[in-house]
Amino acid sequence: MGHSYKGVNLFFMTMTKQSDIPGIFLKLFLLIIFILIIGAKSISGFVLDYRWFEYMGYAQVFTVTFTARAVLFLAGFGFYLIILLAAWHVCKKTITETSGMVNSYWDHFGGTRPAYIDIKPQTSSKKILDLINVPVIAVLSIISFFGGLSLSVNWNTILLYFNSTPFGSVDPVFGRDIGFYIFSLPFFHTVLNYFIGLFILVVLLLSIAYLVFNWRLIFEKLPFNLRGVIAILFFFFAVKMYLLHFDILYSTTGVVYGAGYTDVYIKQYIPILTGIIFLAAGIVVIALPVVSERKLSITTPVVFIVLVIIISILGGVLSGFVQEFKVSPNEIALEEPFIRNNIELTNEAYGLSGIKEENYDITYNLSASDLDSDSIKNIRLWDYRPLLTTFQQRQEIRTYYGFGNVAVDRYILDGELTQVWMSVREILPHKLTGAADTWINRHLIYTHGIGFVMSPVNDVDEQGLPKMIVRDIPPKIDVDGIKITQPRIYFGEETRDYIITNTNREEFDYPMGDQNQYTTYEGTGGIPLTSSNKLVSAISLGEIKLYTSEYIIKDSKLHLYRNIHERVRKITPYLVFDSDPHAFISSDGRIYWMLSGFVTSDRYPYSEPVRFGNERLNYVRDSVKAVIDTYNGTVTYYIMKDDPILRAYAGIYPGIFKPFDEMPGDMSSHLRYSEDLFNIQTGVYRIYHMKTPEVFYNKEDQWARPTEKYEASEVPVQPYNVLLQLNDTLSFVTMMPFTPVNRNNMIAWVAVNQDPLDYGEITVFKFTKEEQVYGPSQIEARIDQDESISRDMTLWGQSGSRVIRGNLLVIPFKNSLLYIEPLYLAAETSSIPELIRVIVFYNNVVAMEPTLEEALNKVLGVTPQTTVQAPSGSPDGEPAKGDVNTILNQTLVHYEIAREALAKGDLETYGREMKTVDALMQQLKRQIEGE
């Protein structure tokens, strides 16, 4: 075998050595076993996923997605393989017809032959081609596999295109419907990228083969098959270039995001010109040898590619020149229409074009009669941060329970609309320690949390703690208007583990004194663990106990994806969900979660992009509310705002989304506007409320989010929910104040309505620029400047305790502004924060009193008739007139008791004694004034 492909022969000789055959078979056997194990886990996971979707009632989601991905993969794989094999077949035929012997590039041009090429010039081309045919086909099959994947991963883009509907508005440069940029362009690019990738591979395959076997086919006369493939590739590049000229609508080089003067008049023509060159190159490559006797080598297409690169560079230089010497000196005049485009389309993309703007004239005309308003009675005194600590300290009951967050809502309680805080008590099996941390406990016994805690936002008990109207286990309710028929929480925010219910071991329900109560799941959720489901579950989850445990019987049910965030994303991965769901209780006594889901895009022309988590977006809609039953785990999606993207998804997955009209009234009454979405919208609007291009260009009226103090830190003000009198109607709104950039006075406040009839309606209330309105940080400074308030906070902050300054709430009410800040006191370690004072600022008057009512009365100049607790030793409840020394001595006694209690960490005694001190000080004041 003097003429041989030595590398290939050496491989086969090694493979066929007698002594190596057993080892080869052993390796193949182990490889097959490994593939079967991996395959079994993947197949089991696939089947289990289908079962989960089926029992959730969303089997069509699984089947549509799987079918689309499978069909696209097979089509992509098949087309790649057919074209590559056809190219390889033509390549072999061309080589054998043009050269009987190997005529390699490396032997004729003095290059260094690659180490893996070991072919002598006298070797028969056909012999070598036959020898490498099978390995080449294997490699092409692997390449085709990845080609199929490249198409399959874009299933979402392809399905959206085929289910798209027009937006009904057009871009201002090309006059195309917005849907063209959201649906069509991504689809066209996906298809083009697929074909461009394929034909690049074909060109490489043919070029490498011809270089190895007959260099003349590359450098002297390109065969028709290679010319045809290069021409097709150039045609695809021409189309790609044409589509790229639309990308000027996402330009970042001008004054604003989107096409500017240079983009419209220079840059958009560069890809069109390069596209024309590619088109001409394709025609020349395919047609020149036909109409001319001139031979065509690889040099011709390379020349065209170099020409494209030169034109792109020159276009960039020209664009920079025009931008620097024409646009920059006349920027406002030349960029004005493009700035206007950016303003209009950004507002439209973020749902801000329909915002109502109103002037808010300050009159400060509140009186004592206004204090009975629902807006005042529902002013929030409890900040969610110390409140969550209080709930955790007082109501977790056992170490394996926990509260993830607290959410504000409104209910009709005792016949009145009342704003409340609510937090769900979830089970946390990972907190089981030692001998209790077993597989049975985590997955079979400790399966669910129970009940919730509810507290009015403004109620305080005698110890300075929140008044809990729903509390304890089992839940105790102190008000009319709420009932609980199913308190068990199987699905929540903190839930992670899978569980199995309906086993022959009862589930832990709740502790009752020294005993535990047990229950059995009676809901509709879960995958029945039939013998087949049990097998695939054990393999998929990698837990053999699922199959071998005697506790699991034929009626058992497997519950997966119990975390509500994971659950909704599993069904609708194309939606972006709010990070802060809230729980509510329906009229029939069942507990539900509600999450806000948005459709987003980053392809909206001219719209300024923002970051939301890991998402980059420049279009967002408050699309759906996902409602999850905490007991059954059912997920129902209701449409809040219809738009073309959501309609496309509804077309892909029919029956997933229900119209808002079908949402029951006891659910719609607990609608909440997403704070994440509100933050996105107000973050954009603080710049894009400037509608005049010149004002926008100079950033003359840019707003900023104000800051406030929390404990000792300066933090940004977060949106907060209030019951507010808007246009003579009591509305539940989320609001946010704003200040001018680099200034602390308040310029406006923004409110979004959350009630069903006006849900999502955003109103901006602007203050007059002729009068300065205090912003939150200025009010914080005024509070710090008050000597008595500053002295008391300094005193309370000593002896191992800390003063917590809660949310500074700006409450607009009847053309007035009330600033409310609660103060809490807590020990440095392991303490329950207590509300000790309420600070109110109104019309340049600041007051700090034990209650909101007292503080409001003081700033309004109202003198209510009050009964002050008599100090001990005064049986008639009032010291004798003129007995100042007695009152002063009693004050000192109670103050010393309070100090000692604080030093011991006895906050209950401290709070009680300080209230007595306050009463004595008020009495002392009246006594002195009377004298």
Side-chain angles (χ1 to χ4, degrees):
M1 298 183 65
H3 308 300
S4 64
Y5 184 26
K6 293 181 180 179
V8 175
N9 279 350
L10 182 61
F11 172 76
F12 281 108
M13 287 171 63
T14 305
M15 288 289 290
T16 55
K17 285 183 179 178
Q18 194 70 24
S19 58
D20 288 347
I21 291 176
I24 292 170
F25 278 111
L26 177 61
K27 291 176 182 178
L28 288 174
F29 176 75
L30 293 175
L31 179 62
I32 292 170
I33 294 298
F34 176 76
I35 291 173
L36 287 175
I37 292 173
I38 298 299
K41 186 175 179 64
S42 299
I43 292 170
S44 297
F46 175 82
V47 173
L48 190 60
D49 257 5
Y50 174 74
R51 293 296 187 202
W52 184 81
F53 277 98
E54 184 180 34
Y55 286 104
M56 284 293 295
Y58 292 112
Q60 75 273 32
V61 172
F62 184 92
T63 54
V64 167
T65 303
F66 172 74
T67 302
R69 299 185 73 162
V71 168
L72 289 171
F73 170 77
L74 293 174
F77 171 80
F79 193 78
Y80 251 62
L81 188 59
I82 289 171
I83 297 299
L84 289 173
L85 290 179
W88 175 236
H89 175 74
V90 172
C91 175
K92 290 190 298 179
K93 185 177 180 181
T94 302
I95 290 171
T96 55
E97 288 177 352
T98 56
S99 177
M101 299 296 175
V102 173
N103 195 6
S104 174
Y105 162 80
W106 294 275
D107 294 318
H108 287 268
F109 288 86
T112 303
R113 181 186 297 131
Y116 53 85
I117 298 295
D118 191 9
I119 302 173
K120 291 185 176 181
Q122 298 81 14
T123 305
S124 167
S125 297
K126 186 177 185 308
K127 188 173 184 178
I128 299 300
L129 288 171
D130 291 340
L131 201 59
I132 66 172
N133 189 56
V134 172
V136 168
I137 291 175
V139 170
L140 296 182
S141 299
I142 294 173
I143 292 173
S144 299
F145 175 84
F146 288 103
L149 285 181
S150 71
L151 198 60
S152 177
V153 296
N154 289 293
W155 63 274
N156 190 55
T157 299
I158 294 169
L159 290 185
L160 279 176
Y161 172 75
F162 286 106
N163 289 272
S164 61
T165 57
F167 270 67
S169 57
V170 299
D171 79 273
V173 176
F174 301 109
R176 289 182 176 268
D177 186 87
I178 301 298
F180 171 78
Y181 303 96
I182 304 293
F183 302 118
S184 301
L185 265 185
F187 171 76
F188 295 153
H189 281 299
T190 296
V191 174
L192 280 171
N193 291 341
Y194 172 82
F195 283 110
I196 287 173
L198 171 59
F199 283 97
I200 286 175
L201 289 171
V202 173
V203 170
L204 289 174
L205 171 66
L206 295 177
S207 299
I208 292 172
Y210 293 154
L211 284 172
V212 171
F213 288 96
N214 188 356
W215 64 270
R216 297 180 185 277
L217 296 174
I218 295 293
F219 289 99
E220 290 188 357
K221 182 181 179 181
L222 289 178
F224 178 78
N225 52 68
L226 182 54
R227 286 189 290 114
V229 173
I230 292 174
I232 293 173
L233 184 59
F234 281 165
F235 293 151
F236 279 127
F237 273 128
V239 178
K240 181 82 172 177
M241 290 299 105
Y242 172 76
L243 293 179
L244 285 177
H245 93 286
F246 291 107
D247 283 356
I248 64 167
L249 298 180
Y250 312 104
S251 173
T252 58
T253 58
V255 178
V256 292
Y257 184 83
Y261 182 90
T262 305
D263 297 301
V264 171
Y265 292 104
I266 303 293
K267 287 186 177 180
Q268 73 154 313
Y269 298 109
I270 297 173
I272 292 177
L273 183 57
T274 57
I276 292 172
I277 294 173
F278 274 123
L279 181 63
I283 295 172
V284 168
V285 167
I286 198 68
L288 185 61
V290 177
V291 300
S292 171
E293 294 181 357
R294 180 184 174 186
K295 294 181 180 180
L296 189 69
S297 71
I298 195 67
T299 307
T300 302
V302 170
V303 167
F304 279 107
I305 293 173
V306 171
L307 181 59
V308 166
I309 294 173
I310 292 173
I311 289 177
S312 298
I313 294 173
L314 291 176
V317 172
L318 178 61
S319 299
F321 182 85
V322 171
Q323 182 70 32
E324 181 68 25
F325 294 101
K326 180 175 182 178
V327 178
S328 293
N330 308 283
E331 205 161 45
I332 296 179
L334 295 181
E335 297 284 13
E336 180 179 347
F338 308 109
I339 295 173
R340 192 182 306 278
N341 293 340
N342 173 259
I343 294 171
E344 291 177 357
L345 272 74
T346 298
N347 277 284
E348 185 179 322
Y350 289 97
L352 302 173
S353 54
I355 282 185
K356 296 193 301 184
E357 293 190 357
E358 297 183 13
N359 293 326
Y360 193 83
D361 299 321
I362 304 294
T363 57
Y364 291 116
N365 56 358
L366 296 183
S367 63
S369 61
D370 294 319
L371 300 185
D372 290 330
S373 166
D374 287 328
S375 295
I376 301 298
K377 289 191 292 186
N378 280 281
I379 287 176
R380 199 171 85 189
L381 298 182
W382 285 104
D383 187 305
Y384 70 93
R385 291 161 289 196
L387 184 68
L388 180 58
T389 301
T390 301
F391 284 173
Q392 291 168 340
Q393 295 278 352
R394 298 182 67 191
Q395 283 292 307
E396 283 186 349
I397 311 296
R398 295 287 188 272
T399 57
Y400 42 76
Y401 286 129
F403 296 99
N405 73 347
V406 289
V408 69
D409 206 339
R410 67 285 198 198
Y411 291 82
I412 302 294
L413 302 179
D414 294 332
E416 292 187 1
L417 184 63
T418 305
Q419 194 177 358
V420 299
W421 286 110
M422 177 175 170
S423 188
V424 170
R425 186 183 293 107
E426 297 188 50
I427 195 79
L428 305 175
H430 64 271
K431 288 191 175 182
L432 295 170
T433 57
D437 187 13
T438 64
W439 182 83
I440 292 175
N441 277 345
R442 289 175 69 99
H443 300 287
L444 273 66
I445 297 178
Y446 288 88
T447 57
H448 59 275
I450 188 162
F452 58 89
V453 179
M454 182 179 287
S455 172
V457 298
N458 57 353
D459 266 9
V460 185
D461 65 16
E462 63 279 358
Q463 299 178 26
L465 299 175
K467 182 180 179 182
M468 298 182 187
I469 56 178
V470 180
R471 65 188 188 283
D472 298 342
I473 304 175
K476 298 180 178 63
I477 304 174
D478 293 340
V479 292
D480 292 331
I482 290 179
K483 65 178 179 180
I484 304 175
T485 57
Q486 183 48 266
R488 295 168 185 87
I489 313 296
Y490 281 84
F491 303 89
E493 283 190 276
E494 303 298 317
T495 306
R496 296 288 183 270
D497 293 338
Y498 68 86
I499 59 168
I500 302 139
T501 60
N502 306 94
T503 65
N504 58 16
R505 285 292 302 266
E506 286 188 305
E507 304 165 47
F508 168 77
D509 201 16
Y510 57 85
M512 179 68 78
D514 295 332
Q515 302 295 320
N516 289 334
Q517 301 296 310
Y518 292 88
T519 188
T520 299
Y521 183 70
E522 297 177 352
T524 59
I527 303 170
L529 284 176
T530 60
S531 56
S532 60
N533 286 345
K534 188 189 297 186
L535 177 62
V536 298
S537 300
I539 297 173
S540 176
L541 297 174
E543 184 52 76
I544 193 64
K545 294 185 182 72
L546 280 167
Y547 198 72
T548 60
S549 175
E550 296 179 356
Y551 297 124
I552 300 175
I553 57 178
K554 63 178 182 179
D555 294 327
S556 298
K557 292 182 174 182
L558 173 65
H559 301 262
L560 299 170
Y561 310 116
R562 296 197 303 132
N563 180 272
I564 57 174
H565 297 278
E566 184 182 15
R567 199 171 186 83
V568 295
R569 290 189 181 108
K570 185 76 175 175
I571 301 170
T572 51
Y574 43 83
L575 295 179
V576 176
F577 284 93
D578 186 273
S579 61
D580 187 25
H582 73 281
F584 66 93
I585 185 161
S586 64
S587 58
D588 62 355
R590 300 182 69 88
I591 304 171
Y592 294 89
W593 292 100
M594 186 179 290
L595 287 86
S596 298
F598 324 124
V599 292
T600 63
S601 175
D602 62 353
R603 299 293 300 170
Y604 204 92
Y606 269 113
S607 177
E608 185 73 30
V610 299
R611 300 293 306 186
F612 175 61
N614 295 324
E615 295 278 335
R616 179 184 182 274
L617 57 91
N618 70 352
Y619 172 88
V620 63
R621 283 295 181 270
D622 183 21
S623 306
V624 302
K625 298 293 183 187
V627 179
I628 303 99
D629 188 315
T630 61
Y631 189 66
N632 293 321
T634 54
V635 181
T636 308
Y637 296 91
Y638 297 97
I639 298 174
M640 300 304 299
K641 190 173 187 61
D642 190 20
D643 84 310
I645 299 180
L646 188 64
R647 284 199 297 273
Y649 281 118
I652 297 169
Y653 303 107
I656 296 294
F657 305 109
K658 295 184 177 182
F660 176 70
D661 293 343
E662 293 185 17
M663 180 184 281
D666 58 347
M667 291 184 181
S668 63
S669 63
H670 297 286
L671 286 174
R672 285 267 310 277
Y673 198 79
S674 165
E675 288 189 12
D676 286 340
L677 178 58
F678 190 62
N679 278 326
I680 291 172
Q681 290 177 311
T682 54
V684 171
Y685 197 74
R686 66 186 182 85
I687 300 172
Y688 282 87
H689 70 278
M690 296 180 285
K691 302 296 195 300
T692 305
E694 186 171 352
V695 174
F696 184 94
Y697 176 83
N698 293 312
K699 299 295 187 288
E700 295 176 16
D701 192 22
Q702 189 172 340
W703 298 348
R705 176 177 293 189
T707 60
E708 63 175 346
K709 283 190 176 179
Y710 181 76
E711 295 196 35
S713 303
E714 196 87 10
V715 298
V717 172
Q718 296 295 323
Y720 49 90
N721 296 277
V722 291
L723 280 171
L724 204 60
Q725 202 84 20
L726 289 179
N727 300 323
D728 299 323
T729 303
L730 188 66
S731 303
F732 187 55
V733 303
T734 298
M735 65 169 291
M736 167 75 78
F738 282 96
T739 61
V741 168
N742 299 324
R743 291 170 60 192
N744 294 324
N745 61 290
M746 197 156 60
I747 191 71
W749 58 280
V750 184
V752 58
N753 204 311
Q754 302 179 101
D755 294 329
L757 291 178
D758 301 311
Y759 175 84
E761 184 179 280
I762 301 176
T763 306
V764 177
F765 296 89
K766 293 184 175 181
F767 300 111
T768 176
K769 295 181 180 179
E770 283 72 37
E771 179 182 357
Q772 177 161 307
V773 178
Y774 287 123
S777 61
Q778 291 175 318
I779 298 300
E780 297 280 23
R782 288 291 301 270
I783 292 171
D784 290 337
Q785 291 167 6
D786 187 281
E787 292 184 4
S788 61
I789 295 176
S790 180
R791 182 181 62 248
D792 287 344
M793 286 197 290
T794 301
L795 177 64
W796 292 327
Q798 297 173 353
S799 305
S801 62
R802 59 195 175 100
V803 175
I804 302 172
R805 297 169 75 152
N807 279 132
L808 177 63
L809 304 181
V810 182
I811 307 296
F813 180 60
K814 289 191 173 182
N815 293 104
S816 297
L817 286 178
L818 287 165
Y819 302 84
I820 315 291
E821 182 172 85
L823 289 184
Y824 313 95
L825 190 67
E828 289 291 344
T829 57
S830 303
S831 173
I832 301 176
E834 296 182 11
L835 180 68
I836 56 169
R837 290 293 183 275
V838 179
I839 301 174
V840 175
F841 186 95
Y842 172 76
N843 196 18
N844 282 318
V845 179
V846 62
M848 183 176 74
E849 299 296 329
T851 67
L852 175 62
E853 182 182 6
E854 291 176 86
L856 286 170
N857 283 330
K858 189 167 183 178
V859 296
L860 292 177
V862 178
T863 307
Q865 297 297 319
T866 57
T867 302
V868 181
Q869 177 184 351
S872 57
S874 303
D876 58 357
E878 184 73 34
K881 186 177 175 82
D883 195 1
V884 174
N885 289 334
T886 301
I887 300 175
L888 199 56
N889 289 334
Q890 289 286 349
T891 302
L892 291 172
V893 168
H894 285 283
Y895 178 69
E896 287 302 321
I897 295 173
R899 282 189 57 189
E900 292 174 5
L902 183 61
K904 296 176 183 178
D906 184 0
L907 292 179
E908 181 178 349
T909 302
Y910 173 80
R912 184 175 60 249
E913 293 298 321
M914 286 306 297
K915 286 183 178 180
T916 302
V917 170
D918 286 336
L920 287 165
M921 293 297 291
Q922 293 293 330
Q923 198 171 12
L924 182 62
K925 180 181 178 182
R926 290 196 301 273
Q927 196 80 356
I928 293 172
E929 289 175 349
E931 293 178 352

